[in-house]
Amino acid sequence: MFLIVQNDPNCPAGMLNQVLEEARVPYRTVCAFAGDPIPDPSGLTAAVVLGGEMGAHDTERHPHLARVIAFMREAVAAGLPLLGICLGGQLLSHACGGTVSSPSPHGEHGIHHVDLNAAGAADPLFAGVGNPFVTFQLHNDSFTTPPGATLLASSPACPAQTFRLPGRIYGVQFHPEVDRSIVDLWDGFFSPRAEHLSGFIAAEETFNAASRTILANFVSLSLSPAQP
């Protein structure tokens, strides 16, 4: 079973659901924020941990984060294919010994370009993706590459955009899952209202091409036999 862990009611899986359905991959969404139990990694084929407005260290205000961190540590130890998106990537970095800065000088909002380094350009997560590629960003916090991980991508404002741990375990700072409805929802949480949606729509075609490819690549990797 492919698992989606949702940390925030306003941060759904968006395009990821479409990619899984098109690939005919059975999946289940666990609403960790609502207290749903998180399955043992041993019974899963892969997992994606989504974003949220909270910070990786906000376990007192959001106790479910402690359970998500524990799950991610178990998943890494078990070699489960895992993708952490934005907060999910920050939680993965934290769980594996990296540093999450909150707030960070590397925050980004809206459409931005991300640059692959040599390792990223050769990584199967980014097969068929241009360099640089278009992303949607909405983060005030940022992560470092944890010990034992390989940095794959960066942006002018944020030096750590993607890392890979041994196996098929990735953390990304950007949001490949968002669509118009999600960006519109998030704009409404700013006062005054943010205007990220117009920029998103202007870049939507190139954003969708890169983001769908990245998500589909992860799904394909998660279903392929583990490499020695």
Side-chain angles (χ1 to χ4, degrees), residues 98-119:
T99 299
V100 177
S101 299
S102 178
S104 163
H106 306 303
E108 298 164 297
H109 289 195
I111 289 292
H112 290 268
H113 287 84
V114 165
D115 300 295
L116 298 170
N117 60 21

Side-chain angles (χ1 to χ4, degrees), residues 17 19 23 47 79 83 99 101 104 107 109 112 131 136 144 146 157-158 161 168 187 191 195 204 216:
N17 290 337
V19 169
L83 173 63
T99 299
S101 299
S104 163
H109 289 195
H112 290 268
N131 189 17
F136 183 81
T144 64
C158 186
Q161 283 284 346
R168 296 160 289 177
D187 274 359
S191 183
E195 297 183 0
E204 191 170 23

Side-chain angles (χ1 to χ4, degrees), residues 19-166:
V19 169
L20 288 167
E21 288 163 8
E22 289 171 4
R24 299 184 179 180
V25 175
Y27 68 93
R28 173 187 170 197
T29 299
V30 166
C31 295
F33 64 88
D36 289 355
I38 305 175
D40 189 290
S42 63
L44 302 173
T45 56
V48 173
V49 178
L50 299 173
E53 63 82 21
M54 63 286 292
H57 302 297
D58 289 344
T59 52
E60 186 172 338
R61 287 196 306 129
H62 302 281
H64 73 275
L65 293 180
R67 295 190 296 114
V68 175
I69 292 168
F71 165 78
M72 297 181 89
R73 286 182 175 140
E74 293 169 3
V76 170
L80 180 74
L82 180 64
L83 173 63
I85 293 175
C86 198
L87 171 64
Q90 295 162 12
L91 292 171
L92 179 61
S93 174
H94 173 63
C96 296
T99 299
V100 177
S101 299
S102 178
S104 163
H106 306 303
E108 298 164 297
H109 289 195
I111 289 292
H112 290 268
H113 287 84
V114 165
D115 300 295
L116 298 170
N117 60 21
D123 195 279
L125 183 69
F126 295 110
V129 176
N131 189 17
F133 62 95
V134 171
T135 66
F136 183 81
Q137 307 269 2
L138 198 65
H139 65 99
N140 296 317
D141 301 353
S142 65
F143 55 64
T144 64
T145 302
T150 300
L151 180 68
L152 302 180
S154 61
S155 68
C158 186
Q161 283 284 346
T162 306
F163 63 84
R164 178 177 182 166
L165 285 156

